[in-house]
Amino acid sequence: MHAWPATTVPTLPGRGRDLSVHDTSTGGRVTLTPGRVARLYVCGITPYDATHLGHAATYTAFDLVHRVWLDAGHDVHYVQNVTDVDDPLLERAAATGMDWRELAERETALFREDMTALRVLPPRHYRGAVEAIPLVIPLVERLRSLGAAYELDGDVYFSVASDAHFGGVSHLDAAAMRLLSAERGGDPEREGKKNPLDPLMWRAERPGEPSWDGGSLGRGRPGWHIECVAIALEHLGMGFDVQGGGSDLAFPHHEMGASHAQALTGEFPFATAYVHAGLVAYEGEKMSKSKGNLVFVSRLREEGVDPVAIRLALLAHHYRADWEWTDEVLREALRRLDRWRAAVVRPEGPPADGVVDAIRAALADDLDAPTALAAVDRWAETQTATGGDDAGAPGVVSRAVDALLGVAL
Ligand code: 5CA
Ligand code: ZN
């Protein structure tokens, strides 16, 4: 599957520093020290509806990881999936009378446009679940031969007991896991499972559902977690730097993915850090496709809102915070964008070095975008109030804001 076009990233004087992030699995900070290649996997969309601001916030957060690493001189291997076959997609297609493939293609195309407009750098590998089926089958077969998977009426389940580290990503107790499993695509109530939490890896063919030849697994389709594991192992291998997504993916998705991979390879860990973005709410509740309280990036764009302002509105919130989208959030971002643009049009200004350093320091410190924006605000205020005589300083600030924050002035 193709990704979306890359925007150019200006190179800045000096070099960025190593990124320190909050890691869900340890509950604390990890300073990542990738080698030449830095490896990032971010869970992609399930394309049954348009990109909302919650998705946009999450992908913008991981775009900062990408940009910090580029600035620190790494070659970034970024991988993302598209869950282009799964229950919610099939249900929406059936409800609207659309072919599920057409729905997935239409929404994935819109997502690419939204990501391009928001200047989110594309992944190097963008892989669909359907494309990943040939990767999934041998993994499920191997887990079965290792005794880490079992069959139930033709479906194949992963046995969470097979990974000694199970629970080590989310650290939830059994009751909380059971509740979240039921809410987020699992089937803890199904009878005959070894452990109610065991997730499906291969779903045997059902009438009216798409299915593929699964070799010794029989006809069926892949489960959700094994899809991301197959894609991540294919393109990144074990022990990659960051596994990312919204905080709703910590359990079960990232927990199960880590256990699948650890049971498969006997290695630990699947990822060095599990990084989770907070959830964006609208009208009092988490913005979610199932609840329908959505503000779409594409709708705002159609209304003529500058996507740069949308990006600034997202960056005004720390990525780990849960926050609520309001019209005022957008208005504030539009005012900030006007102030910044007015400040960089002049050829001279206050010295820029401190601003570049401050943006770098803030982002390396757990992607603290609000602090980075405040540093640019202060520079822009000085420029407006007193100006400055450093030739080229506005250009330096403009390039730093573009390279590190993805904000084009
Ligand atoms: N396809 C799977 C991941 S493999 C999936 O969760 N798709 S999704 O379309 O439901 O979500 C895509 C990404 O957006 C996930 O990282 C999810 O955690 C994040 N996300 C969903 N809703 C919100 C929200 N309200 N705020 C922030 N991030 C969100
Ligand atoms: Zn995923």
Side-chain angles (χ1 to χ4, degrees), residues 43-46 52 54-55 58-59 81 83 224 228 245-249 253 278-280 286-287 289:
C43 283
I45 53 160
T46 305
H52 60 62
H55 301 133
T58 291
Y59 296 110
N81 68 304
T83 309
W224 174 28
C228 282
S247 60
D248 56 341
L249 296 189
H253 188 51
L279 298 179
V280 181
K286 173 197 153 184
M287 211 179 271
K289 290 184 269 205

CSV table of all heavy atoms in Angstrom, one decimal, residues 43-46 52 54-55 58-59 81 83 224 228 245-249 253 278-280 286-287 289, ligand 1:
chain,number,residue,atom,x,y,z
A,43,CYS,N,0.5,2.4,15.2
A,43,CYS,CA,-0.7,1.7,14.8
A,43,CYS,C,-1.6,2.7,13.9
A,43,CYS,O,-1.8,3.8,14.3
A,43,CYS,CB,-1.5,1.2,16.0
A,43,CYS,SG,-0.8,-0.2,16.6
A,44,GLY,N,-2.0,2.2,12.8
A,44,GLY,CA,-2.7,3.0,11.8
A,44,GLY,C,-4.2,3.0,12.0
A,44,GLY,O,-4.7,2.4,13.0
A,45,ILE,N,-4.9,3.6,11.1
A,45,ILE,CA,-6.4,3.7,11.3
A,45,ILE,C,-7.1,2.4,10.8
A,45,ILE,O,-6.6,1.6,10.1
A,45,ILE,CB,-7.0,4.8,10.4
A,45,ILE,CG1,-6.5,4.7,8.9
A,45,ILE,CG2,-6.6,6.1,11.0
A,45,ILE,CD1,-7.4,5.5,8.0
A,46,THR,N,-8.3,2.2,11.3
A,46,THR,CA,-9.3,1.3,10.8
A,46,THR,C,-10.2,2.1,9.9
A,46,THR,O,-10.9,3.0,10.4
A,46,THR,CB,-10.1,0.6,11.9
A,46,THR,OG1,-9.2,0.0,12.8
A,46,THR,CG2,-11.0,-0.5,11.3
A,52,HIS,N,-10.6,11.9,12.3
A,52,HIS,CA,-11.0,12.9,13.2
A,52,HIS,C,-9.9,13.5,14.0
A,52,HIS,O,-8.7,13.1,13.8
A,52,HIS,CB,-12.2,12.4,14.1
A,52,HIS,CG,-11.8,11.2,15.0
A,52,HIS,ND1,-10.8,11.3,16.0
A,52,HIS,CD2,-12.3,10.0,15.1
A,52,HIS,CE1,-10.7,10.2,16.7
A,52,HIS,NE2,-11.6,9.3,16.1
A,54,GLY,N,-8.9,13.4,17.0
A,54,GLY,CA,-8.3,12.5,17.9
A,54,GLY,C,-7.2,11.7,17.1
A,54,GLY,O,-6.0,11.7,17.6
A,55,HIS,N,-7.5,11.2,16.0
A,55,HIS,CA,-6.5,10.5,15.2
A,55,HIS,C,-5.4,11.5,14.8
A,55,HIS,O,-4.2,11.2,14.9
A,55,HIS,CB,-7.1,10.0,13.8
A,55,HIS,CG,-8.2,9.1,13.9
A,55,HIS,ND1,-9.4,9.2,13.2
A,55,HIS,CD2,-8.4,7.9,14.7
A,55,HIS,CE1,-10.2,8.2,13.5
A,55,HIS,NE2,-9.6,7.4,14.3
A,58,THR,N,-2.9,12.1,17.6
A,58,THR,CA,-2.0,11.0,17.8
A,58,THR,C,-1.0,10.9,16.7
A,58,THR,O,0.2,10.8,17.0
A,58,THR,CB,-2.9,9.7,17.9
A,58,THR,OG1,-3.6,9.7,19.1
A,58,THR,CG2,-2.0,8.4,17.9
A,59,TYR,N,-1.3,11.0,15.5
A,59,TYR,CA,-0.3,11.0,14.4
A,59,TYR,C,0.6,12.2,14.4
A,59,TYR,O,1.8,12.1,14.1
A,59,TYR,CB,-1.0,10.7,13.0
A,59,TYR,CG,-1.7,9.4,13.0
A,59,TYR,CD1,-3.0,9.3,13.0
A,59,TYR,CD2,-0.9,8.2,13.2
A,59,TYR,CE1,-3.7,8.0,13.1
A,59,TYR,CE2,-1.5,7.0,13.3
A,59,TYR,CZ,-2.9,6.9,13.2
A,59,TYR,OH,-3.5,5.7,13.3
A,81,ASN,N,0.4,0.6,9.9
A,81,ASN,CA,-0.5,-0.3,9.2
A,81,ASN,C,-1.8,0.4,8.9
A,81,ASN,O,-2.1,1.5,9.4
A,81,ASN,CB,-0.8,-1.5,10.2
A,81,ASN,CG,-1.6,-1.1,11.4
A,81,ASN,OD1,-1.1,-0.2,12.1
A,81,ASN,ND2,-2.7,-1.7,11.6
A,83,THR,N,-5.7,-1.1,9.2
A,83,THR,CA,-6.5,-2.3,9.5
A,83,THR,C,-7.7,-2.4,8.5
A,83,THR,O,-8.8,-2.0,8.8
A,83,THR,CB,-7.0,-2.2,11.0
A,83,THR,OG1,-5.9,-2.0,11.8
A,83,THR,CG2,-7.7,-3.5,11.4
A,224,TRP,N,-6.7,-9.0,15.0
A,224,TRP,CA,-6.2,-7.6,15.0
A,224,TRP,C,-4.7,-7.5,15.5
A,224,TRP,O,-3.9,-6.9,14.8
A,224,TRP,CB,-7.1,-6.7,15.9
A,224,TRP,CG,-6.7,-5.3,16.1
A,224,TRP,CD1,-6.0,-4.5,15.3
A,224,TRP,CD2,-7.1,-4.6,17.2
A,224,TRP,NE1,-5.8,-3.3,15.8
A,224,TRP,CE2,-6.5,-3.3,17.0
A,224,TRP,CE3,-7.8,-4.8,18.4
A,224,TRP,CZ2,-6.6,-2.2,18.0
A,224,TRP,CZ3,-8.0,-3.8,19.3
A,224,TRP,CH2,-7.4,-2.5,19.1
A,228,CYS,N,-0.5,-6.4,13.4
A,228,CYS,CA,0.5,-5.4,13.7
A,228,CYS,C,1.9,-6.0,14.0
A,228,CYS,O,2.9,-5.5,13.6
A,228,CYS,CB,0.1,-4.5,14.8
A,228,CYS,SG,-1.1,-3.2,14.2
A,245,GLY,N,0.7,4.7,19.8
A,245,GLY,CA,-0.7,4.7,19.5
A,245,GLY,C,-1.4,5.6,20.5
A,245,GLY,O,-0.7,6.1,21.4
A,246,GLY,N,-2.7,5.7,20.4
A,246,GLY,CA,-3.5,6.3,21.5
A,246,GLY,C,-3.5,5.4,22.7
A,246,GLY,O,-3.2,4.2,22.7
A,247,SER,N,-3.8,6.0,23.9
A,247,SER,CA,-3.8,5.3,25.1
A,247,SER,C,-4.8,4.2,25.2
A,247,SER,O,-4.7,3.2,26.0
A,247,SER,CB,-4.0,6.2,26.3
A,247,SER,OG,-5.2,6.9,26.2
A,248,ASP,N,-5.8,4.2,24.3
A,248,ASP,CA,-6.8,3.1,24.3
A,248,ASP,C,-6.2,1.8,23.6
A,248,ASP,O,-6.8,0.8,23.7
A,248,ASP,CB,-8.1,3.5,23.5
A,248,ASP,CG,-7.8,4.0,22.1
A,248,ASP,OD1,-6.6,4.4,21.8
A,248,ASP,OD2,-8.7,4.0,21.2
A,249,LEU,N,-5.0,1.9,23.1
A,249,LEU,CA,-4.3,0.8,22.5
A,249,LEU,C,-3.4,0.0,23.5
A,249,LEU,O,-2.9,-1.1,23.2
A,249,LEU,CB,-3.5,1.1,21.3
A,249,LEU,CG,-4.3,1.7,20.1
A,249,LEU,CD1,-3.5,1.8,18.9
A,249,LEU,CD2,-5.6,0.8,19.8
A,253,HIS,N,-4.5,-4.1,22.8
A,253,HIS,CA,-3.7,-4.3,21.6
A,253,HIS,C,-2.2,-4.4,21.7
A,253,HIS,O,-1.6,-5.3,21.2
A,253,HIS,CB,-4.1,-3.1,20.6
A,253,HIS,CG,-3.6,-3.3,19.3
A,253,HIS,ND1,-3.7,-4.4,18.5
A,253,HIS,CD2,-2.8,-2.4,18.5
A,253,HIS,CE1,-3.1,-4.2,17.3
A,253,HIS,NE2,-2.6,-3.0,17.3
A,278,GLY,N,-2.7,10.8,24.7
A,278,GLY,CA,-3.9,11.0,25.4
A,278,GLY,C,-5.1,11.0,24.4
A,278,GLY,O,-4.8,11.1,23.2
A,279,LEU,N,-6.3,11.0,24.9
A,279,LEU,CA,-7.4,10.9,24.0
A,279,LEU,C,-8.1,12.3,23.9
A,279,LEU,O,-8.3,13.0,24.9
A,279,LEU,CB,-8.4,9.8,24.5
A,279,LEU,CG,-7.8,8.4,24.4
A,279,LEU,CD1,-8.8,7.4,24.9
A,279,LEU,CD2,-7.3,8.1,23.1
A,280,VAL,N,-8.5,12.6,22.7
A,280,VAL,CA,-9.2,13.9,22.5
A,280,VAL,C,-10.7,13.7,22.6
A,280,VAL,O,-11.2,12.8,22.0
A,280,VAL,CB,-8.8,14.5,21.1
A,280,VAL,CG1,-9.5,15.8,20.9
A,280,VAL,CG2,-7.3,14.6,21.0
A,286,LYS,N,-14.9,11.1,24.8
A,286,LYS,CA,-13.8,10.7,23.9
A,286,LYS,C,-14.4,10.7,22.5
A,286,LYS,O,-15.4,10.1,22.2
A,286,LYS,CB,-13.3,9.3,24.3
A,286,LYS,CG,-12.3,8.8,23.3
A,286,LYS,CD,-12.1,7.3,23.4
A,286,LYS,CE,-11.7,6.7,22.0
A,286,LYS,NZ,-11.5,5.3,22.0
A,287,MET,N,-13.7,11.4,21.6
A,287,MET,CA,-14.1,11.4,20.2
A,287,MET,C,-13.9,10.0,19.7
A,287,MET,O,-12.8,9.5,19.7
A,287,MET,CB,-13.2,12.4,19.5
A,287,MET,CG,-13.8,13.1,18.3
A,287,MET,SD,-12.6,14.2,17.5
A,287,MET,CE,-12.9,15.7,18.4
A,289,LYS,N,-15.4,6.9,16.7
A,289,LYS,CA,-16.2,6.6,15.5
A,289,LYS,C,-17.5,5.9,16.0
A,289,LYS,O,-18.5,6.1,15.4
A,289,LYS,CB,-15.4,5.7,14.6
A,289,LYS,CG,-14.3,6.5,13.9
A,289,LYS,CD,-13.5,5.6,12.9
A,289,LYS,CE,-12.3,4.9,13.5
A,289,LYS,NZ,-11.3,4.6,12.5
B,1,5CA,N1,-6.4,0.1,13.5
B,1,5CA,C1,-6.3,0.2,14.9
B,1,5CA,C2,-4.8,0.2,15.4
B,1,5CA,S1,-3.9,-1.2,14.7
B,1,5CA,C3,-7.0,1.4,15.5
B,1,5CA,O1,-7.0,1.6,16.7
B,1,5CA,N2,-7.6,2.2,14.6
B,1,5CA,S2,-8.4,3.5,14.9
B,1,5CA,O2,-8.8,4.1,13.7
B,1,5CA,O3,-9.5,3.2,15.9
B,1,5CA,O4,-7.5,4.5,15.7
B,1,5CA,C4,-6.3,5.0,15.1
B,1,5CA,C5,-5.4,5.6,16.1
B,1,5CA,O5,-6.0,6.8,16.6
B,1,5CA,C6,-5.1,4.8,17.3
B,1,5CA,O6,-3.7,5.0,17.7
B,1,5CA,C7,-6.0,5.3,18.4
B,1,5CA,O7,-5.5,5.1,19.6
B,1,5CA,C8,-6.1,6.7,18.0
B,1,5CA,N3,-7.3,7.4,18.5
B,1,5CA,C9,-8.6,7.0,18.3
B,1,5CA,N4,-9.5,7.8,18.9
B,1,5CA,C10,-8.7,8.8,19.5
B,1,5CA,C11,-9.0,10.0,20.2
B,1,5CA,N5,-10.2,10.3,20.5
B,1,5CA,N6,-8.0,10.8,20.7
B,1,5CA,C12,-6.7,10.4,20.4
B,1,5CA,N7,-6.3,9.3,19.6
B,1,5CA,C13,-7.3,8.5,19.2
